[in-house]
């Protein structure tokens, strides 16, 4: 008998790493401050009635050209080496996987981010994830970024939840992901999903997971009152199940919280299995 699968899905910026990934090296290297870059991106989005994610991707390309900065894939991947993570992140995945193994479940980790996949692929924790869903560039015959290939905004994130739910990882396959699949045949039921994120752009995913029996957990920066107020408001609005400081260290509240959720999901899977067997016997 195969072990039940529990999927833990993470936003990336300010959820696992301490700020937006573009701010560690890319933005300083084109001579802008973070505030300047994001202000320009937001202004462009407003002026052109443009998706904010497409706006920042466009700005990355244009500002790179303007400042004669290479925009090849390997340069974005290299930028991932400079990412800084919250305490405990680098050992988190092995610890949680081991806990799942000891409790008879298989843990899978996924990234669902509006950041750049190429940067994530250059970071220390890239191998911890079964899949990384994030924005990507298309590159020409010379290896130069020319166009956004995949864009992950708050709407796309909800589609990705259904891809994980049904086990359809090929982003070009929009047929299978939309086909009817009975709940008991879906690879990762929503009640076995945990969504960890930090802010309002993840609200649709948080709510979708929560209302379908999974758990949504918001993390916040302890020293940042605005961050703390954001997660409290999410709780007041009933969009999350729990919140905790963004500290992934052993024994920290977040780890204790996730382990208790895994325990509950494992117990629920046992009961569902009993139900399915008894139902089959009386058919």
């Amino acid at each position: 008998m195969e072990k039940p699968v529990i999927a833990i899905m993470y936003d990336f910026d300010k959820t696992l790493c301490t700020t937006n990934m573009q701010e560690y090296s890319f933005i300083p290297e084109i001579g802008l401050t973070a505030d300047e870059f994001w202000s320009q991106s937001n202004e462009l989005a407003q002026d052109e009635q443009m998706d904010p994610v497409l706006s920042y991707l466009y700005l990355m390309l244009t500002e790179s050209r303007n400042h004669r900065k290479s925009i090849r894939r390997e340069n974005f991947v290299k930028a991932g080496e400079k990412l800084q993570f919250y305490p405990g992140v680098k050992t988190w995945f092995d610890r949680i996987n081991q806990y799942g193994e000891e409790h008879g479940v298989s843990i899978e980790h996924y990234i669902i981010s509006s950041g750049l996949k190429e940067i994530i692929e250059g970071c220390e924790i890239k191998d911890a994830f079964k899949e990384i869903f994030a924005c990507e560039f298309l590159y020409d015959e010379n290896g130069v970024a020319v166009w956004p290939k995949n864009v992950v905004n708050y709407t796309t994130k909800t589609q990705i939840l259904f891809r994980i739910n049904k086990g359809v990882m090929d982003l070009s396959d929009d047929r299978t992901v939309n086909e009817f699949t009975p709940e008991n045949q879906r690879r990762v039921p929503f009640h076995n999903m945990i969504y960890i994120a930090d802010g309002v752009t993840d609200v649709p995913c948080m709510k979708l997971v929560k209302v379908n029996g999974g758990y949504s957990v918001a993390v916040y920066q302890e020293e940042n009152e605005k961050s703390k107020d954001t997660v409290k408001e999410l709780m007041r609005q009933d969009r999350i199940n729990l919140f905790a400081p963004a500290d992934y260290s052993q024994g920290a509240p977040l780890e204790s919280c996730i382990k208790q959720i895994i325990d509950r999901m494992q117990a629920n899977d046992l009961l569902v299995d009993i139900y399915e067997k008894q139902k089959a016997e009386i058919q």
Side-chain angles (χ1 to χ4, degrees):
M1 179 179 172
E2 291 187 6
K3 295 179 181 177
V5 176
I6 292 176
I8 307 180
M9 296 151 294
Y10 309 80
D11 180 36
F12 198 84
D13 295 342
K14 301 180 183 178
T15 296
L16 295 172
C17 67
T18 57
T19 191
N20 296 313
M21 63 181 70
Q22 300 86 353
E23 297 174 19
Y24 292 101
S25 59
F26 175 81
I27 293 175
E29 287 173 7
I30 58 174
L32 296 176
T33 66
D35 286 345
E36 289 170 337
F37 179 86
W38 297 116
S39 292
Q40 288 183 35
S41 177
N42 292 336
E43 184 176 346
L44 175 65
Q46 291 168 6
D47 290 347
E48 300 297 334
Q49 292 292 286
M50 188 176 184
D51 185 306
V53 178
L54 280 169
S55 176
Y56 99 70
L57 292 171
Y58 173 81
L59 199 60
M60 286 185 79
L61 293 181
T62 56
E63 289 298 316
S64 292
R65 295 191 187 101
N66 291 341
H67 291 83
R68 298 184 179 277
K69 173 179 166 54
S70 180
I71 49 174
R72 298 176 184 274
R73 191 179 197 286
E74 58 264 31
N75 299 104
F76 291 128
V77 173
K78 186 75 174 174
E81 296 177 2
K82 297 187 178 181
L83 301 187
Q84 298 173 17
F85 298 97
Y86 289 121
V89 165
K90 294 176 186 179
T91 61
W92 165 265
F93 306 98
D94 287 341
R95 283 185 278 116
I96 295 301
N97 290 345
Q98 181 180 346
Y99 189 83
E101 184 71 24
E102 292 170 353
H103 289 74
V105 297
S106 178
I107 307 292
E108 295 178 354
H109 305 274
Y110 296 85
I111 290 293
I112 307 178
S113 170
S114 294
L116 198 60
K117 184 175 182 179
E118 291 90 322
I119 294 179
I120 299 172
E121 288 179 342
C123 77
E124 293 178 73
I125 61 173
K126 65 181 184 301
D127 294 331
F129 305 104
K130 183 174 178 64
E131 293 286 344
I132 297 171
F133 296 100
C135 300
E136 294 180 81
F137 284 118
L138 181 68
Y139 298 86
D140 66 14
E141 65 278 7
N142 298 312
V144 176
V146 293
W147 195 260
K149 181 172 79 171
N150 287 312
V151 174
V152 177
N153 56 25
Y154 66 90
T155 303
T156 316
K157 286 184 175 187
T158 59
Q159 178 206 116
I160 291 168
L161 291 182
F162 283 100
R163 290 188 176 279
I164 296 169
N165 172 238
K166 295 183 176 183
V168 183
M169 301 301 162
D170 181 356
L171 293 178
S172 68
D173 184 356
D174 58 1
R175 180 182 62 83
T176 308
V177 74
N178 287 311
E179 287 180 343
F180 172 74
T181 306
E183 290 294 331
N184 61 359
Q185 295 178 23
R186 298 190 181 197
R187 187 174 180 276
V188 184
F190 273 99
H191 62 251
N192 274 11
M193 288 186 175
I194 304 171
Y195 194 88
I196 302 176
D198 71 289
V200 293
T201 58
D202 292 286
V203 163
C205 283
M206 289 174 165
K207 190 68 175 180
L208 180 61
V209 170
K210 183 177 183 294
V211 299
N212 282 284
Y215 280 80
S216 291
V217 181
V219 295
Y220 64 90
Q221 298 172 335
E222 285 194 272
E223 71 284 0
N224 187 326
E225 289 301 319
K226 183 178 179 181
S227 174
K228 193 178 298 185
D229 289 342
T230 296
V231 300
K232 288 179 180 178
E233 188 61 25
L234 291 173
M235 178 66 89
R236 289 189 194 98
Q237 295 171 353
D238 202 29
R239 293 177 169 185
I240 58 174
N241 298 93
L242 302 160
F243 60 85
D247 181 352
Y248 294 76
S249 302
Q250 187 169 7
L254 181 60
E255 184 187 65
S256 299
C257 168
I258 296 302
K259 286 181 175 179
Q260 290 178 56
I261 292 172
I262 291 171
D263 290 345
R264 182 165 183 171
M265 288 180 171
Q266 188 261 350
N268 182 69
D269 279 323
L270 290 175
L271 292 172
V272 169
D273 187 52
I274 293 171
Y275 167 79
E276 293 292 345
K277 288 178 179 177
Q278 291 183 340
K279 187 177 179 181
E281 288 172 359
I282 62 174
Q283 294 299 324

